[in-house]
Amino acid sequence: MKWNLRWAAAKRDIWRPSDLLKAFEEVGFTPSLSKVAALWSGKPISVRLDDLDKICAALGCTVADLLEAEPLVTADGQQEQTQRAVGHQAGGPVRPTPRRGGPRRSLPPN
């Protein structure tokens, strides 16, 4: 995923994290300046959904404006073009397969 917070902020003429913090406070979102600077400077590992909602409200954008899917790169450096099912592993089945053999599970209690 590509994180486009700076681009979305620039569309609102916001060029610094401190200005972004002021825009957040206008919608009732009050993160610390260090958290805003971390969101500003790089791609976050995770963002809470309610925080993402407040960021979008402050910037007048959608989640699609902030997050953009990037093509996957294969081991040989080429971009993968085919669409994959969620959880699909290369060379493996798309759907889970039932276990064969082994102990049977008991039924859940009534």
Side-chain angles (χ1 to χ4, degrees), residues 3 5 8 12 20 23-31 35 39 44 46-67:
W3 180 240
L5 177 68
R12 282 213 45 217
L20 184 60
F24 288 166
E25 289 171 350
E26 289 174 9
V27 295
F29 182 39
T30 56
K35 181 175 180 177
L39 290 171
S46 65
V47 179
R48 291 178 37 175
L49 292 178
D50 58 333
D51 289 351
L52 192 58
D53 220 11
K54 292 173 186 175
I55 292 169
C56 289
L59 296 176
C61 65
T62 65
V63 174
D65 294 330
L66 292 175
L67 297 171

Side-chain angles (χ1 to χ4, degrees), residues 3-12 14-17 20 39-42 59 66:
W3 180 240
N4 292 323
L5 177 68
R6 292 178 103 166
W7 179 79
K11 288 175 64 177
R12 282 213 45 217
I14 296 173
W15 302 101
R16 297 181 310 195
L20 184 60
L39 290 171
W40 183 266
S41 64
L59 296 176
L66 292 175

